[in-house]
């Protein structure tokens, strides 16, 4: 198996793990009583299963970044949303809607075009200490600007979350390649700084996404899903020497694929944002009112005749 197939396979399994964890967390949140704190969830086995799935997805994502470039691995992260659609529908006891199928098809077609345009070589270049510090400072400034008070805070926090997560993936690739290729000492100042930035941006992306979801899930989830690969691909193309297949001509299918993926993710997010009517509890009597034809007719008042005395 070559590096490209290994990166795609690891990314697919990672997306499945993330999607399963998301569905498990959603079901756990639905069963919890209102106002239940996070500390109360720590004593439940389902919570730790979701944490384990998230950790497994993260490790598989890191392994995929070893074998594939950012322009290849990051777009596959949108498959988490695609996989969550049938899993979520099955958990909710309903069928996948036509809008969800359209969004899934468009997302898959867009990702296919992006994969054909992405570079297939395994990554070898890494960020220098100066480049890592510049990326970190630029990301912090951008997140600070997006986090300022103003209109649509949910979407702005979602964009900041996607950017920080994408930058964390780019820095993780530098860390992974440097460690596995033995390009320098493990405790060099560059790797220590990159590791600290990865931890900070990963935690920051998680907190920003939680803030973004306070106003709803649909639109913020779409923004996070799209901003993540855009930020990582920008770093890969600008600083890590990654290129699109076919040179400038390869930009056309990449743009068409990106447009199709954007449309698909938006459709999936809108469909998931629509509330599903809750089913009646098992054993509860159904309130069916049956009216007889006589009851349906308006009753005429009876006339009372006075009798003769």
């Amino acid at each position: 198996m070559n590096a490209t197939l290994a990166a795609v396979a690891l990314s697919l399994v990672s997306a499945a793990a993330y999607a399963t964890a998301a569905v498990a967390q959603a079901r756990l949140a639905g069963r919890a009583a209102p106002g239940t704190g996070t500390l109360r969830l720590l004593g439940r086995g389902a919570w730790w299963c979701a944490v384990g799935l998230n950790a497994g997805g993260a490790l598989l994502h890191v392994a995929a970044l070893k074998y594939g470039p950012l322009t290849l691995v990051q777009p596959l992260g949108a498959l988490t949303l695609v996989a969550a659609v049938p899993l979520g529908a099955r958990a909710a006891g309903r069928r996948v809607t036509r809008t969800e199928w359209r969004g899934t098809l468009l997302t898959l077609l867009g990702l296919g075009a992006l994969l054909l345009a992405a570079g297939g070589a395994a990554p070898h270049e890494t960020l220098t200490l100066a480049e890592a510090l510049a990326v970190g400072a630029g990301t912090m400034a951008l997140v600070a600007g997006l986090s300022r008070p103003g209109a649509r805070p949910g979407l702005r926090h979602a964009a900041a979350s996607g950017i920080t997560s994408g930058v964390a993936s780019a820095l993780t690739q530098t860390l992974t390649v440097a460690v596995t290729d033995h390009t320098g000492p493990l405790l060099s100042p560059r790797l220590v700084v990159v590791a600290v930035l990865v931890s900070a941006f990963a935690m920051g992306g998680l907190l920003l996404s939680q803030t973004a979801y306070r106003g709803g899930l649909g639109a913020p989830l779409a923004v996070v899903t799209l901003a993540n690969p855009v930020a990582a691909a920008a770093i890969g193309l600008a600083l890590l020497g990654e290129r699109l297949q076919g040179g400038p001509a390869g930009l056309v299918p990449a743009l068409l694929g990106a447009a199709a993926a954007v449309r698909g993710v938006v459709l999936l997010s809108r469909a998931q944002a629509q509330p599903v009517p809750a089913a009646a509890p098992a054993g509860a009597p159904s309130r069916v009112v049956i009216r007889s034809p006589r009851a349906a007719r308006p009753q005429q008042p009876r006339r009372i005749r006075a009798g003769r005395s």
Side-chain angles (χ1 to χ4, degrees), residues 231-248:
I235 295 175
L237 294 173
L239 299 176
L240 296 177
E242 298 182 3
R243 297 290 181 268
L244 297 176
Q245 295 284 1

Side-chain angles (χ1 to χ4, degrees), residues 14-264:
S14 174
Y18 278 131
T20 307
V23 173
Q25 287 177 317
R27 294 186 64 184
L28 184 61
R31 293 175 180 177
T36 302
T38 306
L39 295 178
R40 298 286 297 275
L41 298 177
L42 297 180
R44 299 188 180 183
W47 169 260
W48 289 108
C49 289
V51 171
L53 288 170
N54 277 316
L59 292 176
L60 290 168
H61 182 74
V62 171
L65 290 173
K66 165 60 182 173
Y67 294 102
L70 288 167
T71 52
L72 174 69
V73 175
Q74 290 303 118
L76 290 172
L79 290 177
T80 299
L81 186 60
V82 176
V85 171
L87 291 175
R90 182 179 180 84
R94 62 178 180 86
R95 294 183 178 180
V96 181
T97 64
R98 182 177 300 180
T99 303
E100 290 173 334
W101 283 124
R102 287 177 54 198
T104 302
L105 180 60
L106 283 174
T107 305
L108 292 176
L109 292 177
L111 287 174
L114 287 174
L115 292 178
L116 292 176
H124 295 289
E125 297 187 22
T126 58
L127 296 175
T128 64
L129 178 59
E131 290 174 342
L133 291 174
V135 169
T139 303
M140 291 178 185
L142 187 57
V143 170
L146 291 172
S147 301
R148 296 176 59 184
R152 296 185 178 275
L155 297 182
R156 289 187 288 105
H157 285 116
S161 174
I163 291 172
T164 52
S165 300
V167 172
S169 296
L171 295 172
T172 299
Q173 187 184 63
T174 289
L175 191 64
T176 304
V177 173
V179 171
T180 56
D181 290 351
H182 305 287
T183 57
L186 295 180
L187 295 180
S188 64
R190 180 182 66 133
L191 294 185
V192 171
V193 169
V194 170
V196 171
L197 290 176
V198 168
S199 302
F201 287 145
M203 182 60 65
L206 179 62
L207 296 177
L208 286 168
S209 65
Q210 290 180 347
T211 305
Y213 293 153
R214 291 177 181 176
L217 180 64
L221 182 58
V223 174
V224 171
T225 306
L226 296 175
N228 187 315
V230 169
I235 295 175
L237 294 173
L239 299 176
L240 296 177
E242 298 182 3
R243 297 290 181 268
L244 297 176
Q245 295 284 1
L251 189 61
V252 176
L255 292 176
L256 293 177
V262 167
R263 179 59 179 169

Side-chain angles (χ1 to χ4, degrees), residues 277-301:
S286 56
R287 299 180 62 183
V288 180
V289 180
I290 303 177
R291 297 182 178 180
S292 62
R294 178 177 297 179
R297 298 175 184 175
Q299 296 182 357
Q300 298 292 335

